[in-house]
C-alpha cells in the first residue's frame, strides 16, 4: 500500500469511491457530481491543500483531502478534513493512515486547527476522530434532510499548533519541500 498525492488521472477512481456514499447520509450531497465538476473541485483544493490517495496494486482504495471550511481570511489557519474509503477497504486502519498523513502535512503548512464535520451517529468516523485526539466542538440537531430523514451533525476539532501568538503564514501545499511530503506519506504507508 502506498500513500501519494492525487493527480488528475485519479479523478475517475476517486469519484467511483465517492459514489458509494451518495445514497447515504455520510455526505449531504444528493447527486453524484459530474467528472468535470469533481475534477475542478480537486484542482481548487490542490491549489492550497493536500489531496491524498491510498493505492494498493495500482487500485485506489481511499482518499482524503482538506480545505478551508469558511471563506473569510481570518479562518485560513483552519482546515476541514474529509476521508472516504472504498467499502471493500474499510476497517483496516486505512482511514487512520490517511488522516495521520494529512495532519502531518497540514501542520507543515502552518494550519493551526483541523476540523471535521460528521453526520452522527457514525461510529466508525466518531471512533477515528477520537483515536486521533479530536474533541467534539459543536453539535447541530436535524441539520440535514436526506433520504426521508433528518440527520444530526457534529463538528470535531484538533489543535495542531499551541499558543495564542500570531500565526505563521499559511504555506500552500505545493510549496512544501517534496522530501518532507514524501517522508510524511511514507511514514504512514506501512
Amino acid at each position: 500500500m502506498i500513500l501519494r498525492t492525487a493527480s488528475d488521472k485519479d479523478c475517475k477512481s476517486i469519484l467511483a469511491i465517492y459514489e458509494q456514499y451518495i445514497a447515504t447520509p455520510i455526505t449531504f450531497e444528493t447527486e453524484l457530481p459530474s467528472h468535470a465538476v469533481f475534477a475542478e473541485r480537486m484542482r481548487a483544493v490542490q491549489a492550497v491543500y493536500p489531496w491524498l490517495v491510498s493505492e494498493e496494486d495500482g487500485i485506489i482504495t481511499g482518499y482524503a483531502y482538506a480545505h478551508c471550511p469558511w471563506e473569510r481570511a481570518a479562518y485560513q489557519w483552519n482546515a476541514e478534513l474529509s476521508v472516504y474509503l472504498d467499502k471493500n477497504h474499510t476497517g483496516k486502519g486505512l482511514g487512520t493512515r490517511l488522516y495521520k498523513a494529512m495532519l502531518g502535512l497540514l501542520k507543515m503548512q502552518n494550519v493551526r486547527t483541523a476540523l471535521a464535520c460528521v453526520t452522527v451517529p457514525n461510529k466508525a468516523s466518531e471512533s477515528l476522530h477520537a483515536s486521533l485526539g479530536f474533541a467534539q466542538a459543536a453539535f447541530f440537531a436535524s441539520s440535514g434532510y436526506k433520504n426521508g430523514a433528518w440527520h444530526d451533525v457534529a463538528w470535531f476539532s484538533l489543535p495542531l499548533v499551541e499558543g495564542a501568538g500570531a500565526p505563521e503564514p499559511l504555506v500552500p501545499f505545493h510549496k512544501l519541500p517534496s522530501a518532507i511530503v514524501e517522508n510524511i506519506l511514507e511514514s504512514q504507508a506501512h
Side-chain angles (χ1 to χ4, degrees), residues 153-174:
V153 297
W155 278 87
F156 295 89
S157 175
L158 176 69
L160 300 178
V161 177
E162 299 295 330
E168 294 291 325
L170 189 67
V171 179
F173 176 67
H174 64 274

Side-chain angles (χ1 to χ4, degrees), residues 33-57:
S34 70
H35 184 276
V37 167
F38 205 79
E40 181 52 38
R41 283 184 194 176
M42 287 178 63
R43 282 190 288 277
V45 163
Q46 291 172 313
V48 180
Y49 298 97
W51 191 305
L52 306 177
V53 295
S54 57
E55 185 180 319
E56 191 171 325
D57 299 325

